[in-house]
């Protein structure tokens, strides 16, 4: 099957596996793992922060960050379809005791005015205050959309003026940086904390980093222990991260070009693809406009050899390009998706 369900479908390459086999390791909990330490330093520098912390998943990185920024009863502001709000099992409430407020976004983005309005002090003498703003770049549910830098800076500046802490779920921030042709720090340095995920486009088996100031990251170490995320010879997997930073960042441009080719090919075949949305490695198809049920469409596509997945939007499915997808796979996927959906649409039409 051509697996376009997610960029988490990547498998470690033979070269990455060799690096894993040869990793130098130590006790990570004691901060003695040389490879974890190296990865943390590299990611901090890459994102323009003083320090970073290796954790097993991007979810844990996000949740640790939110615990650093808010007290129980404080309000978390985020775009309403962002990963921290819709896919992390209520973690902000469960772990940090935060009240979540989702702001309606366009292409995954919110405006400085929305943040100002949402953070306006209550007229009551109550102390349920907006304490943290979390943004996502690239934005998963918007289809891998990228924040224009000036808009991002505006919103972060507004949050700062209001005294809010700022977190970037930059699980795919390197996709954003490559798409915009800027250094990752140009996107990430203005936030208090930033999550970077290794197991998506970077092709590692697992791992994520949380970056921020030295002071915040010292507190994050404690939270990581509390989450049960402090590990032992974690250099075995951190080495994949070091390898990926050296070999898998520039090539994200290939994933983006393949997504663009896939989108153009599908649109040329008459499928309802929103071409404007394709800025990185996601392509969305609105199968509802073909009169198809999303689940049926996904099942038929899988039977015919191509894996797509659902999105938060009830009629929209997505294809995601990644390290394991070649140019040939993209050409074949265009044929398979177009022919399968055309056949299904023809039979679903009332006669
Ligand atoms: C934007 C975003 N943030 C966070 C995550 C969570 O990553 P993980 O599954 O590694 O915890 C994902 C996963 O898809 C994501 O897309």
């Amino acid at each position: 099957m051509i697996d376009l369900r997610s960029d988490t479908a990547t498998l470690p390459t033979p070269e990455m596996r060799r690096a894993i086999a040869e990793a130098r390791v130590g006790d990570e909990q004691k901060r003695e793992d040389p490879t974890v330490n190296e990865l943390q330093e590299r990611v901090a520098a890459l994102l323009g922060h003083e320090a970073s912390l290796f954790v097993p998943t991007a979810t844990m990185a996000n949740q640790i960050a939110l615990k650093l920024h808010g007290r129980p009863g404080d309000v978390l502001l985020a775009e309403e379809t962002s990963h921290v709000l819709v896919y992390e099992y209520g973690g902000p409430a469960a772990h940090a005791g935060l009240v979540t407020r989702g702001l309606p976004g366009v292409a995954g983005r919110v405006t400085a005015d929305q943040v100002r309005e949402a953070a306006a002090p209550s007229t009551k003498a109550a102390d349920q205050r907006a304490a943290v703003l979390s943004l996502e770049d690239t934005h998963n549910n918007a289809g891998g959309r990228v924040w224009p830098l000036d808009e991002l800076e505006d919103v972060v500046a507004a949050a700062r003026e209001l005294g809010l802490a700022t977190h970037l779920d930059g699980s795919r921030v390197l996709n954003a940086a490559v798409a915009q042709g800027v250094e990752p720090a140009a996107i990430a340095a203005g936030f208090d904390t930033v999550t970077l995920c290794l197991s998506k486009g970077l092709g590692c088996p697992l791992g994520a980093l949380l970056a921020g100031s030295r002071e915040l990251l010292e507190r994050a170490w404690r939270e990581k222990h509390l989450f049960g995320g402090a590990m032992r010879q974690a250099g075995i997997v951190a080495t994949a991260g070091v390898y990926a930073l050296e070999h898998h960042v520039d090539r994200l441009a290939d994933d983006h070009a393949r997504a663009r080719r896939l989108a153009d090919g599908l649109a040329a075949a008459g499928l309802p693809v929103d071409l404007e949305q394709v800025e990185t490695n996601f392509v969305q198809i609105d199968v509802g406009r073909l009169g198809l049920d999303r689940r049926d469409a996904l099942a038929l596509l899988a039977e015919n050899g191509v894996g797509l997945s659902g999105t938060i939007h009830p009629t929209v499915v997505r294809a995601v390009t990644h390290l394991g997808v070649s140019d040939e796979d993209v050409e074949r996927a265009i044929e398979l998706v177009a022919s399968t959906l055309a056949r299904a649409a023809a039979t679903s039409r009332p006669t």
Side-chain angles (χ1 to χ4, degrees), residues 6-8 56-62 82-84 87-88 136-141 169-172 195 197-200 206-208 282 318:
S6 171
D7 50 7
T8 55
T57 64
T59 299
M60 193 186 291
N62 284 339
S82 58
H83 199 280
V84 286
Y87 295 133
E88 298 189 11
E136 191 174 308
D137 192 12
T138 66
H139 194 289
N140 180 341
N141 269 325
D169 179 355
S171 287
R172 295 186 181 81
T195 293
C197 186
L198 299 173
S199 69
K200 302 192 169 76
L206 60 99
F282 289 51
R318 69 172 195 187

